[in-house]
């Protein structure tokens, strides 16, 4: 199931399973995972992109190891909120991955997530080399944390 609706995504999730967040880039995929209570996102790793099949296999391994129950992809909207070619590419990735994994998939607006990650790394006095190594999975952590915060807000309303 692929949905843009956070409420529908939440309804499709099984409790006590981690979520995974992805920041899809042209050359890398930033990966972050949540705890089973859906409260904290932790940057995990950056996958160097090869071919879809190789990338998907690595992600499926992470999903199996971490017992992931849901996937959130950062949706790289334009600053005015419109969707361009990068959004189309992200949605195509979701459609292709859905054929390999039957868990729920959703999207989260990732505007400025990389900027926030860069700022946090600068504040932590991270070297330029180290920032380049970790920026993508730190950005994935920001994407996933945004969704986790939204899920918590939805649960409080119920």
């Amino acid at each position: 199931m692929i949905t843009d609706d956070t409420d529908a995504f939440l309804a499709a999730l099984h409790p006590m399973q981690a979520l995974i967040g992805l920041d899809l880039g042209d050359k890398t995929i930033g990966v972050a995972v949540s705890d089973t209570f859906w409260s904290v996102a932790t940057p995990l790793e950056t996958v160097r992109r090869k071919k879809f099949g190789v990338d998907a296999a690595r992600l499926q391994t992470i999903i199996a190891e971490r017992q992931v129950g849901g996937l959130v992809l950062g949706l790289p909207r334009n600053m005015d909120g419109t969707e361009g070619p990068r959004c189309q590419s992200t949605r195509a990735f979701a459609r292709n991955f859905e054929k390999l994994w039957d868990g729920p998939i959703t999207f989260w607006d990732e505007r400025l997530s990389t900027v926030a990650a860069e700022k946090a790394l600068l504040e932590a006095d991270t070297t330029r080399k180290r920032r380049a190594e970790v920026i993508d999975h730190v950005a994935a952590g920001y994407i996933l944390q945004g969704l986790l915060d939204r899920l918590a807000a939805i649960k409080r309303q119920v």
Side-chain angles (χ1 to χ4, degrees):
M1 171 192 110
I2 299 174
T3 182
D4 282 298
D5 182 357
T6 307
D7 291 302
F9 180 72
L10 177 59
L13 294 173
H14 296 289
M16 301 305 293
Q17 288 188 317
L19 302 180
I20 190 168
L22 303 180
D23 180 24
L24 298 174
D26 293 331
K27 297 178 183 173
T28 60
I29 302 172
V31 181
V33 295
S34 77
D35 60 332
T36 57
F37 298 106
W38 307 335
S39 57
V40 178
T42 304
L44 183 64
E45 71 178 76
T46 299
V47 176
R48 297 271 167 224
R49 291 191 86 167
K50 295 178 175 102
K51 292 193 284 188
F52 176 79
V54 175
D55 301 343
R58 176 63 193 135
L59 295 174
Q60 287 178 300
T61 298
I62 295 168
I63 286 169
E65 290 172 353
R66 301 278 177 162
Q67 299 178 346
V68 168
L71 170 66
V72 57
L73 297 169
L75 194 61
R77 295 182 187 274
N78 297 321
M79 289 309 290
D80 66 0
T82 60
E83 293 189 12
R86 291 185 60 225
C87 285
Q88 293 171 358
S89 176
T90 298
R91 290 186 184 280
F93 183 94
R95 286 189 303 273
N96 290 330
F97 198 76
E98 181 185 36
K99 296 172 188 167
L100 305 173
W101 184 66
D102 62 357
I105 300 171
T106 194
F107 303 97
W108 189 256
D109 186 346
E110 73 164 44
R111 283 180 282 186
L112 302 178
S113 63
T114 302
V115 172
E118 181 83 21
K119 182 179 178 192
L121 291 168
L122 284 168
E123 288 174 359
D125 202 26
T126 310
T127 65
R128 179 176 289 145
K129 180 179 184 225
R130 183 69 179 143
R131 282 194 314 267
E133 293 169 354
V134 301
I135 190 72
D136 295 315
H137 60 270
V138 172
Y142 273 88
I143 291 164
L144 181 55
Q145 190 63 55
L147 177 77
L148 295 176
D149 292 347
R150 179 66 186 127
L151 293 179
I154 291 169
K155 289 193 285 187
R156 280 192 304 270
Q157 291 173 355
V158 175

